Amino acid sequence: MKSGLARRLAAVGAGTAMLATMAIGLAASPAAAAASGSTQTAASAVAKPKPAVSVGTPKASPANYEGRCPAKVTFSSTVKVKTVASRTTVAYRWLRGDGSKSKVKTLVLRGKGAKSVTVKESSTFKGDVKGWQALQVLAPRAATSGKGRFSVSCGGGQDEGDGKQVIQVGVGARAWVDEGNCEAALIGKITASSPTWVHYRWVVNGDVVDRDSVRVESSRKVVHVIRPRHNLSGWAVLEIVDPVQNSSNRVGFRIRCKDETPKVTASVSAPDSYTGTCPVTRNFTGTIAVSHGHGTVKYRWIRDGVAGGWQDVSFDGRGYQSRTVTDSWTASASGTSKRAIELYNGSTTGTVEGKVTCQSVPTIKTWIVGGSVSAKQTAVNCPTSTVAGSGNISATGPVKVKYAWTVNNVVVDSGELDFAGAGTKTVSFTKESNGTSGGTAKLTIGGGAFESASYSASCPA
């Protein structure tokens, strides 16, 4: 029976023989190689460069386990890829010291540039073992990590009749507050009657905030540091999860931060100046912000020097937050209005001013130039004729006016006039009319106002 090393050497030899056979086959077909040479050269000229790939040596947690079995060991490795595409697929698998391999798995990295991702695999061991695991990346570029080594020792302690290990673990914890630095260090002491691995966790105000495993020979201290962003008080417990379940006494703490009182600021901006028809409504915009914390802030608008009623704005998160508030101004005539925001028991913003210029709606008139609408015979046999006419449209100010000419209720010309100011513009039309020697021409402007004139074309005897 061949040893594992002999089998691997035989496999390598077989692979080498296969590569040699492939090389002989390629050498025996020079014509085919020449035919495809230009195609391969062109393809390689436009091929995109492959991303750079690096793989970190896996870390085992725990790296050296001693205690009851089965034992679970988790391996983690970091893959770094310098991507050149907006979407890059990474294919990988785990290589194990016993010669086995995991299934190929894939993940997708999005965006260009340097990307980093951590992959994990957990294995359960029922007996003593020493070994290693490595991570092999297959795509977008092949790369293999170093070997991350681990060991499992299923021993220590004594068994009762039911097979459970008896380990006496006493737990104590204490905590204090480092006031002024806005942090507290929770310190716990774990003791064991015999060397063993102990899995523990810290619970603060009912939430698990940290968990880890440590090797305890006789006693060992464990520490967790709380660094809140604001004042915090409550309690903490150090819980033993395995090999037995136990917990320390509940210890209270109170953390004070120097900058606990939220800083509240306000600002206000005016609407853009307005010129046009009135009445019109314009909005002043204010911003109220807090540095951190939650609660309500009272404020009020100062309108043209007169204070309004107090209003509330709520904040419900941590860190910097801001809220937008508005105050409207309805102007019926040209003028200005001023606004400021006052914070309750706080400062008042600077005053800003909005401006409105009201303009009256221009008056529009239209009329047909007297006797301008006429018809002229254009064919030997009546009643075919050409109808022509002109009219005037006036405005007292800037405005756009739509108009239309109709002959016997049929639109023959239309358009839009743009008056930059007061003035008069002339609009004309010419239209061949079939089937009638007379009728009515009408000039209509936007809004429905119109002027009309009759016309006729006389036919010779």
Side-chain angles (χ1 to χ4, degrees):
M1 180 179 294
K2 293 183 179 180
S3 66
L5 177 60
R7 287 195 299 270
R8 287 194 291 272
L9 290 175
V12 172
T16 304
M18 182 178 294
L19 290 174
T21 302
M22 293 173 62
I24 293 172
L26 292 173
S29 304
S36 62
S38 59
T39 302
Q40 292 174 348
T41 302
S44 61
V46 299
K48 295 182 178 179
K50 290 186 178 181
V53 176
S54 63
V55 190
T57 299
K59 294 182 179 180
S61 179
N64 298 290
Y65 175 85
E66 291 185 15
R68 289 189 304 169
C69 289
K72 181 180 179 181
V73 180
T74 300
F75 303 89
S76 62
S77 177
T78 300
V79 180
K80 296 181 179 179
V81 181
K82 190 172 183 181
T83 61
V84 295
S86 59
R87 187 177 186 274
T88 303
T89 299
V90 177
Y92 66 95
R93 65 184 176 186
W94 291 93
L95 306 180
R96 306 184 182 101
D98 61 0
S100 63
K101 302 175 183 178
S102 72
K103 294 181 179 179
V104 176
K105 301 180 181 180
T106 60
L107 56 88
V108 176
L109 300 178
R110 301 184 184 279
K112 297 181 179 180
K115 304 293 179 182
S116 179
V117 63
T118 299
V119 296
K120 297 183 179 181
E121 181 185 66
S122 295
S123 298
T124 300
F125 303 94
K126 297 181 179 180
D128 294 353
V129 63
K130 288 185 178 181
W132 56 266
Q133 284 206 188
L135 185 67
Q136 183 182 47
V137 175
L138 304 174
R141 182 190 290 271
T144 303
S145 73
K147 298 176 181 179
R149 300 188 180 277
F150 71 99
S151 66
V152 173
S153 177
C154 301
Q158 299 176 349
D159 290 343
E160 293 181 339
D162 58 2
K164 293 184 179 179
Q165 187 182 34
V166 179
I167 299 178
Q168 297 178 352
V169 181
V171 182
R174 61 190 179 91
W176 68 90
V177 178
D178 185 6
E179 293 193 24
N181 291 330
C182 197
E183 67 177 23
L186 304 177
I187 299 179
K189 183 179 181 182
I190 302 175
T191 60
S193 58
S194 61
T196 185
W197 277 92
V198 177
H199 302 273
Y200 72 92
R201 65 184 184 182
W202 281 102
V203 179
V204 175
N205 292 339
D207 296 323
V208 176
V209 296
D210 187 23
R211 64 177 75 230
D212 202 353
S213 300
V214 293
R215 171 83 171 164
V216 181
E217 298 292 339
S218 176
S219 67
R220 182 163 178 172
K221 287 185 178 181
V222 292
V223 180
H224 175 72
V225 179
I226 306 174
R227 294 186 176 91
R229 297 181 179 178
H230 53 83
N231 287 356
L232 181 67
S233 61
W235 54 270
V237 168
L238 176 60
E239 294 184 349
I240 303 301
V241 179
D242 189 71
V244 297
Q245 292 184 351
N246 202 344
S247 63
S248 72
N249 58 301
R250 178 180 294 193
V251 60
F253 64 87
R254 186 176 184 182
I255 303 173
R256 289 188 177 276
C257 299
K258 291 181 178 180
D259 188 20
E260 171 59 17
T261 303
K263 294 180 180 179
V264 183
T265 58
S267 62
V268 63
S269 59
D272 295 336
S273 297
Y274 170 83
T275 300
T277 58
C278 292
V280 65
T281 299
R282 310 293 286 165
N283 287 325
F284 290 85
T285 302
T287 300
I288 299 176
V290 296
S291 59
H292 62 272
H294 62 275
T296 59
V297 173
K298 287 185 175 293
Y299 73 97
R300 63 181 176 183
W301 287 94
I302 309 298
R303 304 179 180 95
D304 297 319
V306 179
W310 291 105
Q311 303 178 58
D312 291 338
V313 60
S314 298
F315 297 89
D316 55 6
R318 296 182 179 180
Y320 176 85
Q321 305 165 72
S322 64
R323 299 287 185 270
T324 300
V325 295
T326 59
D327 191 58
S328 61
W329 165 43
T330 300
S332 300
S334 298
T336 60
S337 188
K338 300 177 179 180
R339 293 290 188 276
I341 291 179
E342 178 186 358
L343 297 174
Y344 187 77
N345 289 333
S347 60
T348 301
T349 67
T351 301
V352 298
E353 181 179 270
K355 183 178 181 181
V356 167
T357 301
C358 297
Q359 291 183 339
S360 58
V361 179
T363 301
I364 306 170
K365 294 182 179 180
T366 182
W367 66 93
I368 296 177
V369 179
S372 67
V373 178
S374 60
K376 180 180 180 182
Q377 181 183 358
T378 57
V380 176
N381 298 320
C382 281
T384 301
S385 61
T386 298
V387 183
S390 64
N392 292 335
I393 299 175
S394 67
T396 59
V399 70
K400 291 184 178 181
V401 180
K402 292 183 178 181
Y403 71 90
W405 276 105
T406 59
V407 174
N408 295 332
N409 296 322
V410 177
V411 177
V412 296
D413 186 39
S414 62
E416 184 178 73
L417 302 177
D418 189 356
F419 288 86
T424 300
K425 295 180 183 289
T426 300
V427 290
S428 303
F429 80 95
T430 300
K431 176 69 176 179
E432 181 178 312
S433 178
N434 296 321
T436 177
S437 60
T440 301
K442 182 187 294 185
L443 175 59
T444 304
I445 60 174
F450 68 90
E451 290 290 332
S452 61
S454 300
Y455 70 91
S456 63
S458 59
C459 296

